[in-house]
Amino acid sequence: MEGKGVKILIAILVILIIVAGGVLAYKITEDKNQVADENQTSQTEKNVLTTEVKSKEVQIYQGNDRPIAVMIDNHNGAWPQAGLNQAYMVYEIIVEGGETRLMALFKGVDLDKIGPVRSARHYFLDYAMENDAIYVHFGQSPQAESDIMRFSIHDINGISEDGTTFWRVKDKYSPHNAVTNTEKILQSAKNKNYRTTSTKESVLNYVTDEVNLEDGESAETITIPHSQLQTVRYEYDSENKVYVRYARNTKQTDWDTGDDVTAKNIIITFCDNYTLDDSENKGRQGLKNIGTFDGYYITNGKAIKIKCTKDARDEQTVYTDLEGNEIKVNDGNTWVNICPTDANVEIEGTEQENSLNANVVTNNM
């Protein structure tokens, strides 16, 4: 009997050990699951935070891709143009004959077609330099050719390329039909050993919080006469919070997509152009753009008066309010319209009495 009792006791101990082991194994598994859940939750929270941080970064100007500045033909025979909506900035400045030419700046985008591409003018180099951009053009004026060498500009000239960087299309006539794309531009830049990255900060002080210019004047329609030939008008689209662009009473659209050409921000700078005294007598222009000039910043249906200061050709323009503070610019594409000081620019709001006349403003700022 004693032997039988011992066996029963041993059996009970074995059962207890097995049960205890099961409980321990269960607890270990639960602890591991809990740690895994906590880790997963922590990672999810990190992912959410990362997404939130990324969403708060400026989108229009980011990364270390070096900007590309492309001279865009703005003759009405070149309309519509390709790529303007993908540019982070577009400069519009007068050239000979009362025409204007555009310089579109691209950063970190991949575009199949940009153009039509046209020839260089020397004062556009000032804005290519302040953006640290590779300068792309198809031909050049004598002044531009000289300054490209003087300032050691990293340029890509369609006239001297190998025939693959640029090509001519059949649905426009020469000289308004030369186009290129970002892949071919970058390949040409690498072949020339140009730097394709940049750490230079943006010319504009972009912010992620919406800029509404609460103290500004209502700006629903903006009319900018660059010359007797070229008048630009912007109409505010309040639903999408952008301005739709017109030139010579024609709505501007994208060559391939047919989308309206739009601007989130508009900057107007008043500085004078003049006719060059050169042997060719082609009416080529110069630009008095070094110094401080009156202007406007326009966004989200409002406009404020600003000052535009450029101290040297290769230095960045600084845009400030009338108190001297650098303006905050909405995260979106910007058109910079540089026009004469006597241009009768009109900024019209929802009420007629809220119309601003640049002739009066520029004489009193």
Side-chain angles (χ1 to χ4, degrees):
M1 291 292 294
E2 290 182 3
K4 187 176 181 180
V6 170
K7 290 180 180 179
I8 292 172
L9 182 59
I10 291 172
I12 292 172
L13 290 173
V14 170
I15 292 171
L16 290 174
I17 291 171
I18 292 172
V19 171
V23 171
L24 181 61
Y26 175 79
K27 182 172 177 54
I28 292 172
T29 301
E30 283 295 297
D31 289 344
K32 287 182 177 180
N33 289 338
Q34 184 176 355
V35 170
D37 289 342
E38 290 175 353
N39 288 339
Q40 184 174 357
T41 301
S42 177
Q43 186 60 47
T44 300
E45 290 173 349
K46 288 180 180 178
N47 291 339
V48 170
L49 289 173
T50 301
T51 301
E52 288 177 351
V53 169
K54 286 184 178 179
S55 67
K56 291 182 179 180
E57 292 178 353
V58 169
Q59 300 300 305
I60 196 69
Y61 192 96
Q62 59 178 325
N64 65 352
D65 294 293
R66 189 178 183 187
I68 298 168
V70 184
M71 292 298 296
I72 303 292
D73 193 346
N74 202 34
H75 185 278
N76 58 7
W79 297 346
Q81 299 116 322
L84 294 177
N85 278 340
Q86 286 72 44
Y88 69 86
M89 289 183 76
V90 180
Y91 293 84
E92 180 168 17
I93 313 175
I94 199 164
V95 292
E96 57 271 21
E99 294 276 3
T100 61
R101 196 153 293 176
L102 310 177
M103 187 178 77
L105 284 140
F106 306 95
K107 180 179 174 67
V109 294
D110 183 12
L111 300 178
D112 293 331
K113 185 164 72 177
I114 303 171
V117 185
R118 202 69 191 273
S119 56
R121 294 294 179 267
H122 63 288
Y123 40 90
F124 281 94
L125 298 175
D126 303 9
Y127 303 100
M129 284 190 287
E130 72 174 30
N131 282 276
D132 189 29
I134 298 169
Y135 186 63
V136 180
H137 54 105
F138 202 100
Q140 57 201 359
S141 66
Q143 296 81 9
E145 182 180 16
S146 174
D147 282 354
I148 285 170
M149 295 180 63
R150 173 187 172 191
F151 289 100
S152 300
I153 302 295
H154 284 181
D155 80 307
I156 297 173
N157 183 0
I159 296 294
S160 58
E161 283 294 295
D162 57 8
T164 62
T165 306
F166 299 82
W167 66 97
R168 292 194 181 275
V169 296
K170 295 181 179 179
D171 53 335
K172 287 184 170 67
Y173 59 88
S174 181
H176 312 297
N177 62 348
V179 298
T180 185
N181 64 30
T182 50
E183 180 182 2
K184 292 183 181 298
I185 291 170
L186 290 173
Q187 185 58 56
S188 177
K190 290 175 183 178
N191 292 342
K192 298 175 189 298
N193 294 317
Y194 291 166
R195 175 172 45 83
T196 57
T197 59
S198 176
T199 57
K200 195 175 187 71
E201 294 185 358
S202 169
V203 172
L204 298 177
N205 179 27
Y206 295 111
V207 294
T208 56
D209 293 333
E210 194 77 2
V211 177
N212 289 310
L213 303 179
E214 300 293 351
D215 296 330
E217 299 287 345
S218 179
E220 301 287 327
T221 302
I222 299 92
T223 304
I224 308 170
H226 286 271
S227 67
Q228 290 185 343
L229 176 64
Q230 173 71 347
T231 295
V232 175
R233 188 174 81 252
Y234 295 94
E235 297 281 354
Y236 186 54
D237 174 357
S238 59
E239 181 178 352
N240 296 302
K241 292 188 174 183
V242 295
Y243 286 88
V244 179
R245 177 180 163 88
Y246 295 77
R248 305 178 205 178
N249 291 318
T250 300
K251 181 185 283 190
Q252 305 292 278
T253 57
D254 183 83
W255 190 349
D256 290 330
T257 67
D259 293 340
D260 294 343
V261 173
T262 61
K264 178 65 176 178
N265 308 293
I266 301 166
I267 290 175
I268 300 173
T269 300
F270 295 102
C271 64
D272 289 327
N273 54 289
Y274 58 94
T275 302
L276 295 175
D277 181 15
D278 60 19
S279 59
E280 294 190 329
N281 293 318
K282 290 187 177 181
R284 293 195 181 101
Q285 299 294 293
L287 189 68
K288 300 176 182 179
N289 64 341
I290 305 303
T292 297
F293 305 92
D294 297 328
Y296 288 103
Y297 172 47
I298 304 164
T299 192
N300 285 356
K302 292 290 188 71
I304 60 169
K305 301 171 188 176
I306 62 172
K307 296 289 184 179
C308 314
T309 300
K310 187 170 178 63
D311 290 331
R313 293 187 64 185
D314 59 350
E315 290 191 20
Q316 289 187 326
T317 305
V318 178
Y319 301 95
T320 60
D321 61 25
L322 299 188
E323 285 71 47
N325 305 304
E326 186 175 7
I327 62 171
K328 296 178 180 179
V329 177
N330 270 317
D331 187 3
N333 69 321
T334 303
W335 280 72
V336 180
N337 289 83
I338 299 177
C339 64
T341 56
D342 62 355
N344 187 26
V345 171
E346 294 181 354
I347 301 177
E348 300 173 281
T350 53
E351 299 178 2
Q352 189 63 33
E353 62 267 25
N354 194 29
S355 177
L356 301 179
N357 186 297
N359 286 327
V360 177
V361 172
T362 52
N363 288 332
N364 292 302
M365 289 176 71

